[in-house]
Amino acid sequence: MAFKHYTLFSLVFLAAASISISGAQARGVNLCAKADYPALCLLLVKGETDPTRATESVIYRLIRQTKKAKKHLSRFGTSQSQVIQVCQESYDDAIYDLHTCLDNLKSHDKAGFNSNLSAALTDYVTCDDAFGELGETSPVQNVNRKLRRMAGTGLYLETMVH
Ligand SMILES: *[C@@H]1O[C@H](CO)[C@@H](O)[C@H](O)[C@H]1NC(C)=O
């Protein structure tokens, strides 16, 4: 029964897809085909077909979202609090690393890009860990999870740059 439903859904989806997906979107689908989070990947890539531009737009988006996260964090304490300070510094480090990623992309430095984006991803972990060490749940854990998934998507998309 479940299989039948699935098959029917697939057929309907395929029919709808062939009608409504433009060429550009279809190529965007290809770009995201092997992503860990295909839906998030598609959202980030939009109709972009060029892997370099797709990666770049993910990095710009991450910079904006990290700045937003930093602002959001201030609702949970002042910078007098050490754990808030750790998180704010992590976000600042991430923003710095993400800007370096843009330089790395421009200079076709794949290894540099990888290590800088991985560093940004680790910065989001550092923030949550700071709360964990106090035996507290990070109030920004959902935000940080999203940021890590976005960074992961950036790492994935860059592997298609040749
Ligand atoms: C970032 O990339 C640069 C190359 O532009 C590299 O020298 C540096 O080590 C990288 N930083 C990190 C944190 O990996």
Side-chain angles (χ1 to χ4, degrees), residues 8-57:
L8 180 63
F9 172 79
S10 302
L11 287 173
V12 171
F13 176 77
L14 277 176
S18 55
I19 293 163
S20 67
I21 294 186
S22 70
Q25 273 172 315
R27 287 192 293 276
V29 169
N30 289 342
L31 216 50
C32 290
K34 290 185 178 149
D36 282 343
Y37 305 99
L40 174 67
C41 180
L42 278 177
L43 192 79
L44 293 172
V45 165
K46 293 196 178 105
E48 191 54 73
T49 58
D50 176 70
T52 304
R53 282 205 298 270
T55 306
E56 200 177 50
S57 82

Side-chain angles (χ1 to χ4, degrees), residues 97 100 103-104 107 109 111-113 115-116 119:
D97 292 331
T100 313
D103 295 337
N104 295 149
S107 58
D109 178 0
F113 177 89
S115 65
N116 282 292

Side-chain angles (χ1 to χ4, degrees), residues 121-140:
L121 199 152
T122 307
D123 290 327
Y124 306 129
V125 179
T126 305
C127 173
D128 286 340
D129 283 355
F131 283 99
E133 277 161 24
L134 297 175
E136 291 176 25
T137 303
S138 165
V140 283

